[in-house]
């Protein structure tokens, strides 16, 4: 039956629901007769939905595929502000449950034909009279289309209790709408071959019900029932990660802050040691005692550095100053012996200071997650993963032992350079105290 439709008929029905959800921004959706959750598995990717519920009388079918609804890895690694809760219940659509009241959309896709006609009446009372959703989508087979389905004798499924013509379906839908305060429009999916469309209609006929607003006295069947009813059995419930959860927001923010702070620290260390190493290599290549600044190549280098300094000043004027510097903890002392390395100290901890203002202005995601500089500071102060300066204005990133060793080696190389007669090299690079704008590296 299905191959005569492209896409297959069940996909067309699901796509009809998805398009409705996207157009109407339905936040709370329940699928009655969800079976193996195939429609729910598609709807979970449409973050207009905040609460997604499935109900089926056959709990075994629900359990068979319910774990396909779990969040995927990217939902945890890259959570958003979207919220999604999924709940699955075992229960009959002929029984009411107060947890399903007040939804934006109720879907009943190829369900009512599996009910007896008396149960269809109970279904109508529960859905339209008790649940009172904003909208209802009901699809059911159109028996007028059956002669066009090759090899079909009788109903389309052995469990079908009836299959309505278009007139029968519309009669039921209009009666329900009048009784419970809804209006209905008729459509369908699965078009007939050319020349038969007007005579037989769609393969699956669909009624879209919209609640009429401001009509007192409608939906009164259970309106006065103040007692909560819990007829269904909860089989599964999951809340997707969301940045509305402060714990998740803080975890993501801390991860992002530490990532960018570590990048800045590494770039600072690399540039601090790399510039001197490059200069020393250049001096050795030239093989003379003269200051590198006296050669044409070094004059060009100085011109480039001057231009780069102007760019940094321009950035500082427009985006604020961004410096990294060594700091020691409060009450600590630093013990250093040049050429011999660092003396042991149990209290000393050398760190690179990264101003929070730099992170907030230079890292768009950090700014977006925190919202403000003060909120960034508050979120970072709430946990032990990060260490802030005493005034809370900067993040302290501990220097690793490798970084300290590299700096010691750099100082030793500099001393050896001076002893070998290349004092001009030191004067060239330390004649003025340099400031480094690290926003250019972000």
């Amino acid at each position: 039956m299905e191959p005569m439709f492209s896409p297959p008929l069940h996909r067309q029905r699901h796509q009809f629901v998805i398009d409705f959800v996207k157009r109407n921004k339905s936040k709370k959706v329940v699928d009655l007769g969800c079976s193996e959750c195939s429609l729910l598995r598609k709807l979970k990717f449409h973050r207009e939905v905040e609460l997604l519920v499935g109900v089926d009388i056959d709990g075994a079918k629900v359990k068979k595929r319910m774990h396909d609804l779990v969040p995927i890895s990217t939902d945890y690694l890259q959570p958003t502000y979207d919220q999604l809760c999924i709940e699955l219940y075992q229960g009959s659509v002929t029984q009411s449950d107060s947890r399903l009241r007040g939804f934006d959309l109720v879907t009943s896709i190829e369900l009512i034909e599996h009910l007896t006609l008396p149960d269809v009446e109970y279904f109508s009372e529960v859905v339209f009279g008790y649940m009172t959703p904003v909208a209802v989508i009901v699809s059911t087979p159109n028996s007028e289309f059956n002669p066009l389905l090759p090899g079909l004798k009788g109903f389309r499924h052995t469990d079908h209790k009836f299959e309505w013509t278009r007139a029968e379906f519309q009669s039921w839908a209009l009666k329900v709408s009048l009784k419970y305060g809804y209006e209905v429009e008729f459509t369908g999916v699965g078009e007939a071959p050319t020349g038969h469309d007007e005579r037989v209609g769609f393969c699956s006929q669909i009624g879209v019900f919209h609640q009429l607003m401001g009509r007192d006295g409608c939906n009164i069947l259970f309106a006065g029932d103040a007692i909560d009813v819990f007829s269904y059995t909860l089989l599964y419930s999951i809340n997707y990660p969301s940045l509305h959860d402060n714990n998740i927001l803080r975890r993501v923010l801390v991860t992002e802050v530490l990532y960018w702070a570590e990048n800045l620290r590494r770039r600072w260390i690399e540039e601090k040691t790399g510039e001197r190493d490059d200069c020393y290599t250049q001096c050795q290549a030239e093989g003379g005692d003269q200051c590198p600044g006296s050669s044409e190549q070094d004059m060009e280098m100085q011109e480039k550095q001057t231009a780069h300094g102007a760019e940094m000043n321009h950035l500082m004027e427009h985006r604020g100053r961004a410096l990294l510097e060594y700091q020691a903890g409060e009450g600590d002392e630093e013990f250093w012996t040049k050429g011999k390395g660092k003396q042991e100290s149990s209290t000393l901890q050398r760190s690179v200071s990264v101003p929070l203002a730099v992170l907030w202005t230079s890292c768009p995601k950090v700014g977006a997650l925190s919202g403000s500089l003060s909120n960034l500071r508050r979120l970072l102060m709430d946990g032990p993963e990060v260490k802030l300066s005493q005034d809370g204005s900067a993040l302290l990133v501990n220097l690793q032992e490798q970084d300290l060793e590299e700096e010691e080696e750099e100082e030793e190389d500099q001393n050896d350079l001076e002893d070998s007669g290349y004092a001009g090299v030191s004067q060239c690079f330390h004649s003025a105290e340099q400031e480094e704008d690290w926003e250019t590296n972000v």
Side-chain angles (χ1 to χ4, degrees), residues 77-105:
L77 296 174
Q78 299 177 347
T80 68
Y81 282 101
D82 297 323
Q83 301 180 85
L84 176 60
C85 174
I86 298 179
E87 296 175 351
L88 301 177
Y89 294 92
Q90 179 180 0
S92 171
V93 295
T94 62
Q95 295 178 319
S96 57
D97 190 298
S98 56
R99 290 169 290 189
L100 271 62
R101 298 194 70 179
F103 273 61
D104 296 312
L105 175 63

Side-chain angles (χ1 to χ4, degrees), residues 274-337:
E275 285 181 353
R276 295 181 181 178
D277 291 343
D278 291 344
C279 177
Y280 181 71
T281 302
Q282 183 179 353
C283 288
Q284 287 183 321
E286 290 176 356
D289 295 337
Q290 61 181 353
C291 173
S294 61
S295 68
E296 292 183 2
Q297 293 89 341
D298 292 317
M299 292 180 66
E300 292 178 1
M301 181 184 298
Q302 288 181 353
E303 290 178 359
K304 291 181 180 179
Q305 289 176 344
T306 302
H308 179 65
E311 292 178 359
M312 289 195 299
N313 292 334
H314 178 73
L315 285 171
M316 284 189 283
E317 290 176 1
H318 290 275
R319 300 184 63 187
R321 192 168 180 172
L323 299 176
L324 283 78
E325 57 185 8
Y326 283 111
Q327 291 189 350
E330 182 181 2
D332 294 341
E333 295 182 3
E334 295 187 64
F335 301 98
W336 289 84
T337 303

Side-chain angles (χ1 to χ4, degrees), residues 4 53 56 199 211 255 312 319 332 335 345 424-426:
M4 67 179 297
V53 175
D56 201 282
R199 181 171 59 86
Q211 188 180 46
T255 300
M312 289 195 299
R319 300 184 63 187
D332 294 341
F335 301 98
S345 173
V425 177
S426 176

Side-chain angles (χ1 to χ4, degrees), residues 405-416:
E405 292 176 356
E406 289 178 356
E407 186 176 5
E408 291 174 10
E409 292 175 359
E410 178 194 350
E411 291 180 356
E412 292 177 1
D413 291 343
Q414 184 65 21
N415 291 335
D416 293 341

Side-chain angles (χ1 to χ4, degrees), residues 88-134:
L88 301 177
Y89 294 92
Q90 179 180 0
S92 171
V93 295
T94 62
Q95 295 178 319
S96 57
D97 190 298
S98 56
R99 290 169 290 189
L100 271 62
R101 298 194 70 179
F103 273 61
D104 296 312
L105 175 63
V106 171
T107 63
S108 171
I109 307 302
E110 308 295 287
L111 169 66
I112 60 173
E113 63 273 9
H114 293 270
L115 306 176
T116 63
L117 290 177
D119 282 343
V120 173
E121 294 301 316
Y122 289 121
F123 167 86
S124 304
E125 293 174 357
V126 169
V127 173
F128 297 95
Y130 183 80
M131 295 174 63
T132 63
V134 175

Side-chain angles (χ1 to χ4, degrees), residues 339-442:
K340 296 182 179 180
K342 176 183 172 184
Q343 296 180 353
E344 295 295 330
S345 173
S346 60
T347 60
L348 177 63
Q349 178 62 63
R350 298 196 70 195
S351 304
V352 173
S353 172
V354 184
L356 295 185
V358 174
L359 291 169
W360 192 78
T361 57
S362 302
C363 309
K365 190 171 182 179
V366 172
L369 288 170
S370 58
S372 67
L373 184 57
S374 60
N375 197 39
L376 172 62
R377 184 180 297 110
R378 179 184 63 81
L379 289 169
L380 294 180
M381 291 176 65
D382 288 343
E385 298 94 336
V386 297
K387 181 179 179 182
L388 299 182
S389 60
Q390 186 176 3
D391 61 0
S393 65
L395 176 70
L396 302 182
V397 182
N398 293 338
L399 279 176
Q400 300 175 1
E401 188 66 27
Q402 180 181 359
D403 298 330
L404 298 176
E405 292 176 356
E406 289 178 356
E407 186 176 5
E408 291 174 10
E409 292 175 359
E410 178 194 350
E411 291 180 356
E412 292 177 1
D413 291 343
Q414 184 65 21
N415 291 335
D416 293 341
L417 183 62
E418 292 175 354
D419 293 341
S420 64
Y422 289 97
V425 177
S426 176
Q427 295 176 359
C428 175
F429 283 88
H430 299 283
S431 60
E433 185 177 345
Q434 294 185 354
E435 293 181 340
E436 301 174 84
D437 185 346
W438 290 97
E439 289 189 352
T440 58
N441 292 324
V442 178

Side-chain angles (χ1 to χ4, degrees), residues 197-215:
D197 48 351
E198 294 184 1
R199 181 171 59 86
V200 300
F202 293 99
C203 186
S204 283
Q205 51 188 337
I206 296 176
V208 181
F209 300 79
H210 296 276
Q211 188 180 46
L212 296 175
M213 306 304 295
R215 289 188 56 184

